[in-house]
Amino acid sequence: MPDPRSTVFNRMLSRLPAPVRGATTATLLAVSTLTFSLCLMPPALTKLCLPWHAVRRVADRLMNGLASRWVALNNAWIGAVHPGAWDVEGITALDPRGWHLVSSNHQSWVDILVLQRVFHGQIPFLKFFLKQELIFVPVIGLAWWALDFPFMKRGKGADARRNDLRSTREACEKFKLIPTTVINFVEGTRFTPAKHAAQASPYRHLLKPKIGGLGVALATMGEQFQALLDVTIVYPGGAPSFWDLLCGEVGAVTVRVERRAIPASVLGGDPLHDRAYRARIADWVEAQWREKDERIDAILREQGTPSR
């Protein structure tokens, strides 16, 4: 498999027609994902069979290292097909060996690779909340399981909420063992105009925030997080598809990261039974959402892009 960090490979890739370039990067992504996922299995099975903290720490460090190498490879081909610099602010002076909670708006599957590229080497490997069905995605679902990503059913009713919160709490307890970044797409799904209209969202560029997973992360290990990293992702040319990313046709990408202190009032409560605690988290998040909505508006105006 060619090394996408090679100048020759980068030049060759950038000169290919977009569909051929997309097929090439898709193949590279598929092969690298399969290879790294298979490499995760021995340490994953080891910690499953020997569930001691010392074994888990070693296995988790090894798997996170492998996952970071996979991200580095992805970043290399993304850089090759998108040679222009992205507009990124706010990632200086972050701790690559600390615990971080990341909150971001969500418009496309591309967001995940954008976040991985922006934060690679700045903070520990990103782990995020996933829908339960995604565990059955070939290869990558197995990798997510091995890396202890929390899977949530997001069903209706008190029992479903309890199960989701239990799985999230169990994952967060594991995250306490080694430096980890927990990321939560607070909207719970990707933004689309149809979803925005159906919700009657009070925000111009965002869906209504949901605090379920975020609340459990704060309740379980909030005091361990050094800060909340509030991320705003804007695509001035419109939200791209994953195929656009593979083909090198994403266009401009603007990312703003704001480090926020986590107030004591949103730590250590019971997000399932304590309404006052949920209300405090909701108030905190909604204040951020109002600022984020205004920030997106300002970025679009600076880029000369009409607001929705």
Side-chain angles (χ1 to χ4, degrees):
M1 184 169 59
D3 183 352
R5 291 172 296 182
S6 161
T7 303
V8 174
F9 180 74
N10 288 2
R11 190 160 52 243
M12 178 191 73
L13 196 59
S14 65
R15 291 176 178 175
L16 293 174
V20 178
R21 190 162 58 237
T24 303
T25 53
T27 301
L28 179 59
L29 177 61
V31 172
S32 67
T33 301
L34 177 60
T35 301
F36 281 103
S37 296
L38 292 175
C39 289
L40 289 174
M41 291 306 104
L45 293 174
T46 298
K47 73 174 184 177
L48 182 65
C49 297
L50 303 172
W52 301 312
H53 281 181
V55 174
R56 173 174 285 278
R57 282 192 183 93
V58 173
D60 283 345
R61 289 185 187 278
L62 177 58
M63 289 193 293
N64 285 347
L66 287 168
S68 292
R69 294 304 303 162
W70 176 73
V71 170
L73 190 62
N74 290 340
N75 290 348
W77 64 255
I78 291 172
V81 298
H82 299 277
W86 291 356
D87 181 6
V88 180
E89 295 180 3
I91 61 169
T92 57
L94 298 179
D95 184 0
R97 297 184 179 180
W99 280 261
H100 305 273
L101 179 61
V102 173
S103 171
S104 176
N105 60 316
H106 191 22
Q107 303 161 81
S108 164
W109 279 104
V110 175
D111 298 341
I112 296 171
L113 275 83
V114 167
L115 290 167
Q116 288 178 336
R117 188 181 185 206
V118 166
F119 284 121
H120 182 63
Q122 306 293 329
I123 56 178
F125 180 72
L126 304 175
K127 298 187 178 181
F128 43 90
F129 302 99
L130 296 165
K131 295 178 182 178
Q132 180 71 27
E133 309 88 82
L134 294 178
I135 198 172
F136 300 110
V137 175
V139 183
I140 193 67
L142 195 60
W144 285 328
W145 166 81
L147 289 164
D148 291 321
F149 282 46
F151 289 93
M152 304 179 73
K153 293 183 179 178
R154 294 176 178 169
K156 296 182 179 179
D159 289 341
R161 288 196 297 272
R162 275 193 290 270
N163 289 336
D164 280 347
L165 293 173
R166 186 185 307 114
S167 64
T168 308
R169 181 175 283 115
E170 289 171 356
C172 289
E173 288 290 346
K174 296 173 185 176
F175 294 161
K176 290 182 178 181
L177 297 177
I178 64 169
T180 303
T181 300
V182 178
I183 179 168
N184 187 221
F185 290 115
V186 184
E187 292 160 295
T189 184
R190 285 164 288 167
F191 179 101
T192 66
K195 293 174 185 176
H196 183 263
Q199 280 191 353
S201 173
Y203 310 101
R204 297 184 67 181
H205 309 283
L206 302 164
L207 301 179
K208 295 177 181 179
K210 299 178 180 179
I211 63 167
L214 185 68
V216 175
L218 289 167
T220 306
M221 55 183 298
E223 294 180 357
Q224 199 157 3
F225 292 128
Q226 295 177 353
L228 173 78
L229 301 180
D230 181 7
V231 181
T232 303
I233 303 174
V234 179
Y235 305 103
S241 68
F242 199 76
W243 180 245
D244 291 332
L245 179 74
L246 293 171
C247 293
E249 298 186 330
V250 167
V253 178
T254 301
V255 181
R256 296 290 180 265
V257 180
E258 182 175 352
R259 181 186 173 100
R260 295 180 181 269
I262 300 176
S265 61
V266 300
L267 301 177
D270 183 347
L272 186 60
H273 301 102
D274 188 341
R275 292 184 179 179
Y277 179 64
R278 290 200 305 272
R280 290 195 298 273
I281 297 175
D283 289 343
W284 184 54
V285 172
E286 286 168 6
Q288 295 171 35
W289 238 234
R290 288 191 293 271
E291 291 182 22
K292 189 183 297 291
D293 206 39
E294 293 172 0
R295 186 178 302 118
I296 294 172
D297 226 26
I299 291 170
L300 291 174
R301 285 197 303 270
E302 290 173 6
Q303 298 285 343
T305 304
S307 298
R308 282 189 287 265

